Amino acid sequence: MTQAIVYGIPLSSYTRSALMMLHEKGVDHRLEPIELRSEALYARHPFGKIPAFQHGDVQLFETTAIGHYADAAFDGPDLQPGDPVGKAKMAQWNSAIIDYVYPQAIPGYLLKKLFAPEGGPDEAELAEARERLAPQLDAMNKALEENPYFAGEAPSLADYLVFPIIWYLRSDAEVGPMIAERQALADWAERIDQRDSAAATVPPPPPSS
Ligand SMILES: N[C@@H](CCC(=O)N[C@@H](CS)C(=O)NCC(=O)O)C(=O)O
């Protein structure tokens, strides 16, 4: 059977999410590195983002689209709830993760720290970013107090979408403790971290660490 290909970079949280989704479904796949802002990437993703995806003659972009395709086109464990409320909750969290959590956590905080100008990051800006992250962590914690996973009783695409972001935040000196004190979120992260899909996709250390 044709191997699926994820085009991305291992450090990218969305690339890791796509890899986790494929791993969870049991889809034979590989990661093919691709350069950001390259022509090769724009040929696969009209908005120039990662990941992009190919399986035979099926080409896709957007992480959740890759997850939906994997779930529908391959045999394996369900990556989505079957009930209407679970389906809606998964859609709700996917949207919130893409629109609010990722922009605040990655470009809005971690990348500012990692790619700080000479002289170090703007600490006041980082502190403000952490303040904006706190209610987002609260919202996720509350959802996980109500259900063990974002869309109900079992992990779904939403859990694999957000886990790589939380994984990075957990190792941040200031945000790590903010997660640890939100018990349901911390326990959830620990449970997802135990899964083979998390172990198989651990990114390399970022350039400056
Ligand atoms: N909505 C997209 C977001 C993809 C995205 O923002 N990827 C980041 C890496 S995690 C990226 O391509 N960043 C490079 C850039 O913005 O130039 C998805 O769900 O796949």
Side-chain angles (χ1 to χ4, degrees):
M1 182 126 185
T2 316
Q3 192 176 47
I5 306 170
V6 174
Y7 295 88
I9 56 174
L11 276 174
S12 138
S13 69
Y14 282 122
T15 299
R16 188 179 186 195
S17 294
L19 294 172
M20 286 182 74
M21 292 166 185
L22 293 164
H23 190 106
E24 288 286 345
K25 193 69 187 181
V27 177
D28 179 28
H29 68 281
R30 69 175 191 274
L31 172 65
E32 194 81 46
I34 196 159
E35 211 176 304
L36 288 176
R37 289 171 278 280
S38 63
E39 263 182 48
L41 178 55
Y42 275 95
R44 298 197 163 275
H45 193 311
F47 300 89
K49 303 280 184 186
I50 50 172
F53 175 85
Q54 176 116 29
H55 177 239
D57 53 13
V58 177
Q59 278 199 10
L60 292 169
F61 57 89
E62 294 298 286
T63 307
T64 53
I66 297 166
H68 277 98
Y69 174 74
D71 202 25
F74 295 87
D75 292 333
D78 288 340
L79 302 182
Q80 304 176 71
D83 64 299
V85 174
K87 276 182 206 286
K89 291 223 165 177
M90 190 187 82
Q92 165 192 281
W93 279 106
N94 283 347
S95 184
I97 292 157
I98 292 165
D99 286 346
Y100 317 134
V101 179
Y102 175 87
Q104 188 55 56
I106 306 290
Y109 180 67
L110 287 173
L111 293 182
K112 287 197 167 118
K113 229 178 172 181
L114 197 57
F115 298 105
E118 237 173 85
D122 180 337
E123 291 298 342
E125 190 184 23
L126 292 181
E128 220 178 275
R130 283 194 293 274
E131 266 176 44
R132 282 196 295 270
L133 260 176
Q136 298 193 350
L137 299 179
D138 285 337
M140 289 187 274
N141 189 57
K142 184 164 180 288
L144 294 165
E145 281 172 350
E146 289 162 10
N147 286 299
Y149 298 97
F150 281 92
E153 292 299 319
S156 74
L157 297 178
D159 299 272
Y160 308 129
L161 190 66
V162 78
F163 174 75
I165 301 170
I166 300 295
W167 188 86
Y168 275 127
L169 291 175
R170 272 207 312 177
S171 63
D172 180 75
E174 284 88 9
V175 182
M178 291 166 66
I179 291 175
E181 70 195 18
R182 288 160 171 87
Q183 197 61 54
L185 179 60
D187 290 349
W188 165 88
E190 198 46 48
R191 282 197 302 280
I192 302 285
D193 213 4
Q194 299 297 317
R195 301 180 74 85
D196 288 349
S197 63
T201 56
V202 172
S208 66
S209 62

